[in-house]
Structures are given as C-alpha cells and as structure tokens.
C-alpha cells in the first residue's frame, strides 16, 4: 500500500497530511493550486511530468479528475491545510479575489 501525502474526504475535500511535501492540484484546464504548509495559492511554475520529478521537488501532483481521487472535475473544492485553516476554492470565480478564500479558521 502506498502512503499518500493527502486524504480525500467526502465528495470535494482534500486534507493535506505531510508538512514537507507540497501538493499541486490540477482540475481540468483551470489554474493549478499549490497547497503548502503556509496555505494555498495559484501555482505559476512548471508542473512536474513524472512522479520522480515531483518527488525531487518535494511535491505531489493531484489530478482531481483521476479515478483514485474524485473521478471528475470540481467546481468547488475544500482544502484542510496544515496552517490550521480550511480553504474554499471556487472554480467558478477563477481570476477574482474570491477564487481562494478562507472558509474556516482553526478547523481542528
């Protein structure tokens, strides 16, 4: 069994587990989201093509449309990050200030 750096919960929640690994979230043709121990932001760098490249950069690429994750693109995603906040990523508001918002402070 492969230990993942994240857990999926429900139909649209990702829980970041390991501090030293950053997660790159891919959702179709939308902006790539970077989840680090400091929170969330839009990622503008190159997305690693192979798992080995991602591992060297201390990253893991997560495609929301993959069967082992959610199996479909999402319009709304919740992320429980290691900065003790839950974020809401609303893909219908991409490019605006409401794209990534703090949904809940101190979810633990």
């Amino acid at each position: 069994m492969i230990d993942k750096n994240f857990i999926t919960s429900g139909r649209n929640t990702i829980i970041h587990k390991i501090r030293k690994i950053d997660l790159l979230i891919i959702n179709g043709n939308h902006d790539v989201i970077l989840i680090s121990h400091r929170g969330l932001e839009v990622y503008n760098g190159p997305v690693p093509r192979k798992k080995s490249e991602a591992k060297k950069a201390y990253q893991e690429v997560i495609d929301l449309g993959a069967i082992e994750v959610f199996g479909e693109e999402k319009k709304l995603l919740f992320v429980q990050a290691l900065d003790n906040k839950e974020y809401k990523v609303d893909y219908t508001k991409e490019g605006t200030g409401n794209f990534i918002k703090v949904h809940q402070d101190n979810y633990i």
Side-chain angles (χ1 to χ4, degrees), residues 23-25 30-35 40-48 59 94-95 99-100:
L23 305 177
L24 296 177
I25 305 293
H30 298 285
D31 287 341
V32 176
I33 303 296
L34 171 69
I35 304 171
L40 273 68
E41 62 186 48
V42 175
Y43 181 70
N44 295 319
V47 177
Q59 297 175 332
E94 189 172 5
F99 179 45
I100 300 173

Side-chain angles (χ1 to χ4, degrees), residues 2-3 14 38 41 61 83 88 94 96-98:
I2 299 172
D3 191 31
I14 290 184
R38 289 168 280 171
E41 62 186 48
V61 178
D83 65 352
K88 178 173 76 170
E94 189 172 5
T96 69
N98 291 325

Side-chain angles (χ1 to χ4, degrees), residues 10 16 19 28 37 39 42 46 51 60 64 67 77 92 104 107:
H16 190 192
R19 184 177 185 88
H37 66 279
V42 175
K51 273 189 170 184
E60 182 171 349
L64 298 182
I67 296 297
L77 177 71
T92 63
Q104 190 175 357
Y107 68 88

Side-chain angles (χ1 to χ4, degrees), residues 4 7 15 17 26 29-30 35-36 38-39 45-46 48 51 54-56 63 66 68 77 83-84 87 94 97-98 100:
K4 294 182 180 179
I7 300 170
I15 302 168
K17 288 181 9 180
I26 297 174
N29 293 323
H30 298 285
I35 304 171
S36 71
R38 289 168 280 171
K51 273 189 170 184
K55 190 173 182 177
K56 286 178 187 175
D63 183 359
E68 61 273 3
L77 177 71
D83 65 352
N84 205 23
Y87 292 87
E94 189 172 5
N98 291 325
I100 300 173

